[in-house]
Amino acid sequence: MSEFSMSRRLVAEALGTAMLVGTVVGSGIMADNLSDDVAVSLLGNTIPTGAILVVLITILGPISGAHFNPAVTFVFWLRRELSLAIGLCYIAAQIAGGIGGSLIAHVMFDLPVWQASTTVRTGPAQWVAEIVATFGLLATILAGIRFREAAVPWLVGLYITAAYWFTASTSFANPAVAIARSFTDTFAGIRPVDLPGFIVAELIGAALALALLSWLLKPEDAPDREIELAGQN
């Protein structure tokens, strides 16, 4: 990642988030147009989202790290792998790109470009679902980097595909995506007034994942290894 300039990294973050949100919103519109069955529409929204994540992380990961998500950037800042200034620039690029992705999806489907969602997504069940969704996403990323870094694009894509269906919130797990989805009054939308609850829940989930995975992925202490080796001799 260090071989790329900051401007390239920020464009990669904005582009990746725009393409991700464009896929989420666009596939939601297409699925809703093609079926009156909500389950079928959700499936039509799920598969493209998981698939595009594999693509985007693979092609843009070497440039910026492919965060596309303020919760991910937040965790890497807590791990001291990003400075606060760079982290804030990443988040700004992600939010701007995400909003752009919603607007472009509207243009593609000949809808009013500027919209505000009226879809209600609030309450304790939704917030707990977002904590769980974001916890799982960050756990997947951190453990994937630790054990199978090359597989991270597939791990993230598959996790989000699954989490669409096992969480009550359909797994936003991403503050930038949540903000962008408040700009679309379509299948994927969320009311702007419901954003704070989702964003707080997502950051809590990310912080919990970091706390647990920092312990879980830590190798055994050196003295314990020495004892184990001594016992083998």
Side-chain angles (χ1 to χ4, degrees):
M1 187 168 64
S2 60
E3 66 180 292
F4 293 95
S5 66
M6 178 56 63
S7 61
R8 288 179 172 83
R9 291 160 65 181
L10 294 179
V11 168
E13 284 297 301
L15 176 63
T17 313
M19 294 180 69
L20 172 59
V21 173
T23 300
V24 172
V25 174
S27 64
I29 295 169
M30 178 68 82
D32 201 31
N33 287 342
L34 294 176
S35 176
D36 294 327
D37 187 323
V38 177
V40 172
S41 294
L42 182 60
L43 184 62
N45 196 202
T46 302
I47 296 172
T49 302
I52 200 66
L53 279 167
V54 176
V55 174
L56 294 175
I57 296 171
T58 300
I59 65 173
L60 297 177
I63 300 174
S64 67
H67 294 192
F68 314 143
N69 185 338
V72 174
T73 300
F74 173 60
V75 164
F76 278 86
W77 171 69
L78 290 177
R79 283 162 56 100
R80 299 182 180 178
E81 295 184 28
L82 285 177
S83 69
L84 179 60
I86 292 175
L88 292 175
C89 288
Y90 264 46
I91 291 170
Q94 292 156 3
I95 293 172
I99 293 171
S102 283
L103 304 184
I104 291 170
H106 297 158
V107 173
M108 289 194 294
F109 286 91
D110 195 24
L111 297 174
V113 176
W114 291 100
Q115 303 180 19
S117 178
T118 58
T119 302
V120 178
R121 298 181 190 267
T122 189
Q126 295 278 308
W127 301 329
V128 170
E130 278 303 288
I131 292 173
V132 171
T134 314
F135 174 91
L137 173 62
L138 268 298
T140 298
I141 292 170
L142 294 173
I145 290 172
R146 175 72 169 79
F147 298 120
R148 294 287 180 88
E149 188 169 4
V152 168
W154 286 97
L155 294 174
V156 171
L158 290 170
Y159 173 78
I160 291 297
T161 300
Y164 253 82
W165 287 84
F166 75 72
T167 61
S169 61
T170 65
S171 185
F172 284 44
N174 185 329
V177 169
I179 291 169
R181 288 170 69 164
S182 73
F183 282 81
T184 182
D185 194 22
T186 62
F187 183 81
I190 174 175
R191 290 188 309 175
V193 71
D194 296 334
L195 284 175
F198 266 58
I199 292 171
V200 169
E202 289 156 359
L203 294 178
I204 290 172
L208 290 174
L210 176 62
L212 178 61
L213 271 293
S214 294
W215 171 80
L216 187 63
L217 300 177
K218 185 178 180 181
E220 294 296 325
D221 294 334
D224 294 337
R225 288 200 299 272
E226 291 172 1
I227 293 173
E228 181 180 347
L229 290 173
Q232 293 174 353
N233 294 332

